[in-house]
């Protein structure tokens, strides 16, 4: 299983929110590029970046910082937050981002997501942020009446790289992932599923490996030191090797 340390950007700084609430931010660093280098030094071979300003504004905002992170890290990166047009995708890829994570626009226009996935095969990730199972958009400020699993099924025939599933209630709360919702998503589509939200112990990592998740994104637990990145990578790698041996 792949481990993605998260770097969430707000006003150019590395922060974490609780349950996506912009009023409940914790600033961890004024130098996100240095944070990226730190995770890579500890063994990360990929990163998950979120432009929180962009998610709220509906367009990428932290482009210069994102470019600095990609150049400093020298590992493949996801980027989500505010990517809603062809020009936004072109900009993200120009910054060196490997994968574009599409959430709000996927709900608004599934056909567009299919089209850009066909144009950039295996470089587009479906980002599904859910509250009580329903898709939330615009930086989690709005909750739709569309179920996350239904939207995933609707676009799952496109050449997407993966699905990132985030349970908003779990995000930043250090309470563990929503394993039931992840199992439902994995049974709904054949796309690789990446878990996000609440991962904070090695047991959580092991359970995600055992459940067959393709990857998991870890944020607050790494920043607060309750979970060691090197240990998480070791558990994920060992678990995946054991599954292959079986």
């Amino acid at each position: 299983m792949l481990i993605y340390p998260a770097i969430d950007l707000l006003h150019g700084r590395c922060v974490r929110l609780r349950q996506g609430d912009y009023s409940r931010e914790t600033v961890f660093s004024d130098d996100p590029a240095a944070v990226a280098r730190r995770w890579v030094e500890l063994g990360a071979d990929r990163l998950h970046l979120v432009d929180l300003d962009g998610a709220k504004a509906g367009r990428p905002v932290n482009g210069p910082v994102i470019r600095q992170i990609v150049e400093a890290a020298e590992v493949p990166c996801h980027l989500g937050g505010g990517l809603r047009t062809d020009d936004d995708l072109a900009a993200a890829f120009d910054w060196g981002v490997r994968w574009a994570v599409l959430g709000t626009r996927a709900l608004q226009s599934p056909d567009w997501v299919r089209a850009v996935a066909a144009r950039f095969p295996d470089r587009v990730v479906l980002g599904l942020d859910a509250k009580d199972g329903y898709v939330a958009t615009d930086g989690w400020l709005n909750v739709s009446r569309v179920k996350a699993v239904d939207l995933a099924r609707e676009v799952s025939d496109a050449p997407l790289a993966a699905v990132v599933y985030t349970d908003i209630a779990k995000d930043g709360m250090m309470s563990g992932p929503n394993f039931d919702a992840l199992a439902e998503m994995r049974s709904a589509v054949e796309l690789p599923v990446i878990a996000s939200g609440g991962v904070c112990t090695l047991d959580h990592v092991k359970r995600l490996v055992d459940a067959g998740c393709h990857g998991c994104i870890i944020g607050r637990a790494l920043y607060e030191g309750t979970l060691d990145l090197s240990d998480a990578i070791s558990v994920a790698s060992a678990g995946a090797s054991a599954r292959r041996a079986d």
Side-chain angles (χ1 to χ4, degrees):
M1 187 178 74
L2 304 173
I3 301 292
Y4 295 79
I7 299 179
D8 290 2
L9 302 170
L10 191 63
H11 308 310
R13 301 179 298 181
C14 178
V15 309
R16 297 301 297 171
L17 306 182
R18 291 187 183 273
Q19 297 180 320
D21 187 341
Y22 283 74
S23 69
R24 301 169 70 192
E25 76 172 74
T26 303
V27 177
F28 285 101
S29 176
D30 291 325
D31 189 349
V35 172
R37 285 192 295 268
R38 175 188 171 197
W39 297 144
V40 172
E41 288 169 0
L42 290 173
D45 60 1
R46 58 202 64 225
L47 299 170
H48 180 79
L49 316 180
V50 180
D51 185 344
L52 292 172
D53 296 295
K56 183 186 287 190
R59 55 177 176 78
V61 173
N62 286 289
V65 178
I66 292 163
R67 186 189 291 276
Q68 290 171 9
I69 291 171
V70 172
E71 291 177 352
E74 298 184 321
V75 298
C77 297
H78 285 164
L79 173 65
L83 302 178
R84 300 180 191 173
T85 69
D86 290 353
D87 287 345
D88 293 342
L89 286 183
F93 292 144
D94 182 62
W95 297 331
V97 170
R98 176 73 62 85
W99 300 283
V101 182
L102 306 181
T104 296
R105 190 65 196 279
L107 179 65
Q108 296 171 342
S109 180
D111 288 343
W112 179 76
V113 171
R114 289 195 200 89
V116 296
R119 192 155 73 247
F120 303 104
D122 297 319
R123 296 196 67 188
V124 174
V125 173
L126 178 64
L128 294 176
D129 305 328
K131 184 174 183 179
D132 299 324
Y134 292 91
V135 177
T137 62
D138 303 293
W140 301 355
L141 299 176
N142 299 306
V143 180
S144 73
R145 299 312 300 165
V146 176
K147 287 196 171 184
V149 291
D150 291 338
L151 181 55
R153 289 190 187 101
E154 187 172 357
V155 299
S156 62
D157 57 338
L160 296 163
V163 176
V164 171
Y165 182 84
T166 305
D167 186 303
I168 294 173
K170 298 289 188 178
D171 191 72
M173 299 305 292
M174 308 282 282
S175 60
N178 187 332
F179 292 102
D180 291 340
L182 288 164
E184 183 182 17
M185 182 60 65
R186 289 190 61 252
S187 67
V189 296
E190 295 184 1
L191 294 167
V193 174
I194 299 171
S196 176
V199 180
C200 60
T201 69
L202 291 178
D203 181 64
H204 293 156
V205 175
K206 186 178 185 303
R207 287 182 63 185
L208 291 172
V209 172
D210 293 342
C213 280
H214 175 74
C216 77
I217 295 166
I218 308 176
R220 183 176 289 274
L222 297 180
Y223 290 93
E224 294 189 348
T226 61
L227 181 59
D228 181 82
L229 177 58
S230 299
D231 290 343
I233 292 171
S234 296
V235 168
S237 300
S241 297
R243 283 172 58 85
R244 286 193 296 269
D246 290 343

